[in-house]
Every structure is written in C-alpha cells, then in structure tokens.
Amino acid sequence: MNATTEIIWGESVVDGYYAGHPGRVYEHSPASLAAVLDSVGRWEGRDFLVQGERRIFHPEFRDAIPTAARYLAKLGVRRGDRVVLHCYNRPEFVLATWAAWWLGAVPVYANRWWSGHEIEHALRLTTPAMVLTDAPELFGPDLLGTHCRLEPIADLAELWDQPAREHPPVRDGDLDDPALILFTSGSSGAPKAVELSVRSVITNQHSLLARSRRLPQHLDPAAPQPVALVCTPLFHIGGISNILTNLIIGGKLVLTTGRFDAGEILRLIEVERVQTWGGVPTMAVRLLEHPEFDAHDLSSLRSFPLGGAPLPATLLERMTATLPQLRKRGLANTWGMTETGGFMTVAGNADLESRPGTVGRPYPVVELRIADPDETGSGEVLVRAPTVMLGYLGIDDGPVDAEGWLHTGDLGHVDADGYLYLDGRSKDIVIRGGENIACAHVEKALLTHPAVVEAAVFGVPHEDLGEELAAAITHRAGSPVDPEELRAHVQGTLAYFEVPTLWQIDDKPLPTLAGEKLDKKSIKAAFTESVRKG
C-alpha cells in the first residue's frame, strides 16, 4: 500500500465534531463507503466468500457490485431508499449490502428468525422500497403495500457470472447520513430499529483494524491469506464488521450453511484452515464439548474473540488448556451493542488473565464514563463515539442525549487503569445465547391469552446459553393453562428464542412493589429457590 492509503487510514485521534456535538475522531479516515472500496486492493486470485461448494473470488465480488446496483436500480431502488435484507447467511446478503450502498440506498438488516408479527412491525417502521428475502411466502401483498417490491435474494446469484460494466457509485453525501438499519430488543415493546450513520460504519471498522494492526498500509500482499469463519447471523451488528474486515484485508470469509452446528464448525476449521472464529461463549462451550473435538486438526486457529455475553473464567481456562496456541494471544472479550454501532471496549489475553471479568479498555475514539456511581463505583455505563447510533426510527426520545452520550442501560465500574467491568443491567433484557430478549415484549404477548391475568418474564442462569427465559404466570380462577397452550398462543407473535422455556403457573397474584408494579426481583428469587428445592 502507498502513502496515500496511509493518509486515508490514519491512526492519530483528534478532537472533532459530529452528529451535532463534539467528540474524538480519527484525524484521517475514509470520507465515504466508496472511498473505503477505493482504498483497498482487488486481491487477485483470493477467495472472498465461501459457503459449501460455492466460492466467490475477491475480484469477482468487486466486479459484481455495480452489476447488482444496476439490477436494483432497474427494479426501482433509488438514493435514500431502504432495502430490507431478510435471509440466512449467504454470499448474496453481502452483495446486496454493497449494491445498496453503491446506489446511496440504506440496507435494513431484518432478523430471519422473526415471527410474522415482528416482520410486519419492521416493515411498517422502515417503509422500504424493496424486500430481498429467501422466504417470499412470509410477505403477502397486504404486508408489503403498494410501494414495496418483493424479490427473491437468490436471484442475485445470477449476477456473479455477468460481465462487469461501469456504473459509477453515488459518492456525494454526508458522513452523518444513514448507512444501515439493524434491530435490537429494547427494554420494552417490539424490536427497535437502530439507525447507523456512514461515519459509524467506517469508524467502527477503522478502530477494529487499527487495534489489530491490519489497516491497509500495514498489510503485506505476500503474506498468507487470512481466513475467518462466521456462524453468527450477518444481520447482527457483528456481521457488518466481518463483511468489511475481510473485504479490506483480502481475507476469506467462510459461511456456515445453516443453524449453528459445532460439528460443522470443527470440520470447516480443519478443511478451510480457519485462523479466526468468534462468537458468543455458548458456541465455544458447544465446540469444546463436541464428541468429535479431538478428532479434528484445529492448529490453524489463531484468534477466538468472544462477545455478546459474559465470559466465565472457567470457560477461558478450558479454551487455553484445550487450544494452547491461544494461550499467549488470540483470545479476546469485547463489549458493545447494536446501539453503539460495534465494539466499545476490548480485552486481550493478558488483560483477561490479570483482570478476570473485565471487558477491556475503550477504543481510541470512545469516551466512557459511569453515571451516578454508588459507593462501590458502579453505575450506568455511558459512552460517546462516532459509531453511536443516530437514534431509533420512530422514537424521538431515545437513549442518546443532546451531548451525544448513549445511556446504555448496562451497569458497570472502571478501575484505576481504565478497564471496564460490567455489573449487570438496568434495563429488563435477557441475553439468551447472544440474542437480546425484551422481557416486556414477551409479557405483552403472554397477556393476550384470555386466561392470563399477570405475567412476569425474567432470565435465569444457564450453563450453555448464559441465560434462559422463565415466566411466572397468574391465570384466572377456574381457567387453568399449561406451558404447551401458552407456547402455542405466542408462537405467531414471538421469535422462537423469545418463548419461555421455564414456567411457574398458578392462580395466586404475583408480588408487587409500591404502585402495583410487579416485584421482579422477589418473583425471580422465589422462582430460583423453588427450582433449587426441586
């Protein structure tokens, strides 16, 4: 890479101004998504996307972007339009993302596991011009309306073989313009649409590559190709990082072919010589406990970052004992959320060993402080960074204040050296296997059953998933219900992972606090005690 690339991807941080408030920024950073693409090589002869028998090369992918953009434009997509991507992981998901950006449109990452009710909510909120999906049967005419076009995302697969033709990208616009919409479970209600800016997408990538010394000017084209395996959904916040990282560094991105399967992961690490595979701690546990773990050659694995849930010290010990090549480097714990646009902190091997439980220190452009700390120093974690969301679509009073501080709802404290430790959550969220679940959303669905009078939903510890969902139900006198009936009742409203797996059902009222608000703390404590006693 030349000196011009180094100027585009600088490492120095300065005081700047973005989204209407001051904050830290990189002194030199790409000014658009088109500039990101222009600043990196074509990586001739290297695989980019691999899934099953399919292999898409880097040059092939680069050439297909304007072709796909032209395809979307012919179907009516224009600058500023929103394009919903609703599918499981596949190469066309990556292509559609870049094709939308090429046109100046905004990709909307929909959760493929949603119920029909949640899909309807997302379409109503985002008003897209197009839906690209692998399940068109879920989108009826009444759902789409007259201004939204439905297309099978598989149709984009035909574009890989078409000859490249010039189609200049849309290059104008502001760094604070919307670039991507993802969804997250808030503390109440249906999934919330998080709007990220162009600056957010670029800066998060800038931080990740600077931290790992993989900015374009640091890359050696003669070095072996990096290989990363992705089994978490690309529609999650980590998906965009995987897409951009491997495009920029000339990496090979290996995609699994279905739901998480530890056996498939073991096979792919061995066959594709995977160097980086990350996920939530639950996935690491399942990999380590797979009966064929010892039968596979995992010596290529060099990096195993984990996030999305707390990292137990016992799991860290097991990983370093079982995969000794990760003992000195390669393990990491991170903290962030969809609303932050990516990771805010990171802890490496030495940090995890010397400071058990930490999620690390902030990235260079991240400002972090603890609001209203108690006597132990614990309080709500607030962050400000160029990656923080523009806001929630359709919600004016969001968690980002006028000075740009995101009130995360996570509780934590910072030690004397600036390392963050998470102490819990102030918002009513359960994280099951990396999926955020809003308890109030589940409670609302349960309360629509005619026999249910009260519903309290909460998380309880689970060795594999981190947390699992429990529900305490009060039914009307003389109208008993059982878990099977309640599961069937909410099936069309909730995603499968939002349906409780543990139940306490009775006709006795649930305990309340002053003002008749359910006393979740005592309800959970009583539930836990009853489970302990069997």
Side-chain angles (χ1 to χ4, degrees), residues 159 250 266 292 297 305 408 460:
L159 305 179
L266 291 169
E292 298 180 6
D297 177 8
T408 67
V460 295

Side-chain angles (χ1 to χ4, degrees), residues 18 179 252 317 332 368 402 417 504 518 525:
Y18 56 86
K252 176 166 65 173
E317 293 170 2
L368 184 152
D417 297 317
Q504 173 188 296
L518 290 179

Side-chain angles (χ1 to χ4, degrees), residues 473-528:
I473 301 294
T474 298
H475 64 78
R476 298 185 189 283
S479 301
V481 290
D482 57 34
E484 289 72 22
E485 182 178 348
L486 292 174
R487 277 193 287 264
H489 178 73
V490 300
Q491 188 173 10
T493 304
L494 302 177
Y496 82 91
F497 58 84
E498 296 174 312
V499 179
T501 53
L502 299 174
W503 301 84
Q504 173 188 296
I505 303 176
D506 206 332
D507 61 358
K508 297 182 177 62
L510 295 173
T512 59
L513 300 166
E516 294 306 305
K517 183 177 181 180
L518 290 179
D519 185 355
K520 284 280 195 78
K521 186 175 181 180
S522 66
I523 294 171
K524 180 177 178 178
F527 180 90
T528 303

Side-chain angles (χ1 to χ4, degrees), residues 319-331 349-350 353:
M319 291 174 66
T320 54
T322 312
L323 299 166
Q325 70 268 33
L326 302 178
R327 186 169 289 123
K328 291 187 177 180
R329 57 177 302 174
L331 290 174
N349 282 62
E353 184 175 348

Side-chain angles (χ1 to χ4, degrees), residues 15-25 367 384-385 402-405:
D15 292 332
Y17 199 82
Y18 56 86
H21 57 78
R24 298 174 185 166
V25 297
E367 300 172 80
R384 183 167 69 179
E403 296 180 348
W405 290 97

Side-chain angles (χ1 to χ4, degrees), residues 367-391:
E367 300 172 80
L368 184 152
R369 62 185 176 91
I370 304 299
D372 301 321
D374 60 19
E375 64 279 0
T376 69
S378 181
E380 184 180 13
V381 182
L382 273 56
V383 292
R384 183 167 69 179
T387 62
V388 166
M389 68 174 181
L390 295 172

Side-chain angles (χ1 to χ4, degrees), residues 51 87-90 93 113 229-243 253-261 265 277-284 304-308 343 433-435:
Q51 187 177 49
C87 65
Y88 293 120
N89 289 0
R90 58 185 300 148
F93 183 100
W113 299 326
L229 172 62
V230 173
C231 61
T232 51
L234 291 175
F235 55 71
H236 283 178
I237 185 63
I240 193 62
S241 296
N242 282 309
I243 289 171
L253 188 62
V254 181
L255 305 175
T256 52
T257 55
R259 289 179 182 267
F260 176 79
D261 183 307
I265 299 299
W277 175 61
V280 297
T282 300
M283 294 175 177
F304 204 143
L306 295 171
F343 300 127
E435 287 287 346

